[in-house]
């Protein structure tokens, strides 16, 4: 029993999540490979209602035509909601009008930044491959990518850095790191 607990504590984060490795094009798990595509979102706020409806139908048709494709939508930027609430509460408590005015300016600035970043969403397609032969997998993945492009969506297969960022956002909500390490502490190792 003690040995099992000790072994469990020594397991890496990847092992705890069931990830065997992150390659240049997929995440290899105990249940098969996960291949991700990054879909660049369209700014629908500038499109007329008919064009928005057409985009939605195109996405529905594309997704329904491919079995086993999953869609993920994640915020890829930080949220300032808690900070804005802090400024609001702090303004209610503040007696000095000059300080209240500064707090209001800060809150307004954060509101403006939040609006600017509303389009900072990332959309991913996840395709699960279980024991697929390489040529079959390649054909399937190329077909999916082609269908999305044919229906007017900008898409590309996620690379290793994209996959690490996706995992960091999904599990840790880390949106600030520029480059992710393959191993904890990798940046501290000296290359000789």
């Amino acid at each position: 029993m003690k040995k099992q607990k000790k072994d469990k504590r020594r397991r890496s984060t990847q092992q705890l999540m069931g990830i065997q490795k992150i390659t240049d094009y997929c995440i290899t798990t105990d249940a098969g490979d996960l291949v991700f595509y990054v879909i660049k979102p369209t700014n629908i706020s500038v499109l007329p209602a008919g064009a928005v409806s057409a985009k939605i139908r195109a996405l529905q048709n594309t997704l329904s035509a491919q079995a086993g494709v999953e869609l993920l939508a994640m915020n890829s930027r930080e949220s300032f909601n808690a900070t804005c609430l802090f400024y609001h509460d702090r303004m209610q408590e503040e007696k000095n009008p000059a300080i209240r005015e500064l707090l209001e300016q800060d809150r307004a600035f954060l509101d403006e930044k939040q609006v600017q970043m509303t389009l900072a969403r990332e959309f991913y397609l996840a395709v699960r491959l279980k024991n697929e032969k390489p040529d079959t997998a390649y054909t399937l993945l190329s077909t999916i990518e082609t269908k999305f492009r044919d229906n007017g969506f900008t898409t590309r297969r996620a690379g290793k850095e994209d996959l690490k960022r996706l995992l960091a956002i999904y599990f840790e909500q880390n949106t600030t790191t520029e480059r992710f390490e393959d191993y904890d502490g990798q940046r501290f190792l000296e290359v000789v």
Side-chain angles (χ1 to χ4, degrees), residues 4 9 52 55 59 85 91 103 121 125 141 146 175:
Q4 284 179 339
R9 283 188 299 215
V52 172
K55 276 284 198 197
L59 182 59
L85 288 173
M91 283 188 302
L103 289 168
R121 290 206 184 259
L125 282 177
L141 297 174
T146 301
T175 60

Side-chain angles (χ1 to χ4, degrees), residues 104-138:
E104 174 57 31
Q105 288 174 13
D106 284 346
R107 190 191 59 73
F109 173 76
L110 288 177
D111 280 344
E112 183 181 318
K113 283 290 177 201
Q114 188 87 354
V115 168
Q116 290 173 356
M117 293 186 344
T118 55
L119 296 174
R121 290 206 184 259
E122 290 186 334
F123 296 92
Y124 292 89
L125 282 177
V127 180
R128 294 179 188 272
L129 301 175
K130 293 183 181 180
N131 303 323
E132 305 282 344
K133 293 181 181 175
D135 55 337
T136 307
Y138 179 76

Side-chain angles (χ1 to χ4, degrees), residues 83-111:
T83 307
C84 287
L85 288 173
F86 166 79
Y87 279 129
H88 178 270
D89 293 345
R90 181 70 180 82
M91 283 188 302
Q92 302 301 318
E93 299 168 359
E94 184 57 53
K95 305 278 188 248
N96 186 331
I99 302 292
R100 263 198 319 271
E101 175 62 29
L102 289 172
L103 289 168
E104 174 57 31
Q105 288 174 13
D106 284 346
R107 190 191 59 73
F109 173 76
L110 288 177
D111 280 344

Side-chain angles (χ1 to χ4, degrees), residues 13 17 19 27 34 36 70-77 122 124 126 128 162-176 180:
T13 304
M17 292 187 305
I19 295 174
I27 298 174
L34 288 170
F36 290 88
E70 302 167 32
L71 185 64
L72 290 101
M74 299 189 306
N75 287 329
S76 61
R77 298 292 180 261
E122 290 186 334
Y124 292 89
R128 294 179 188 272
D162 295 317
L163 297 172
K164 290 191 287 188
R165 191 167 40 79
L166 177 141
L167 290 171
I169 292 170
Y170 187 79
F171 286 107
E172 189 184 339
Q173 299 300 309
N174 182 347
T175 60
T176 57
F180 294 96

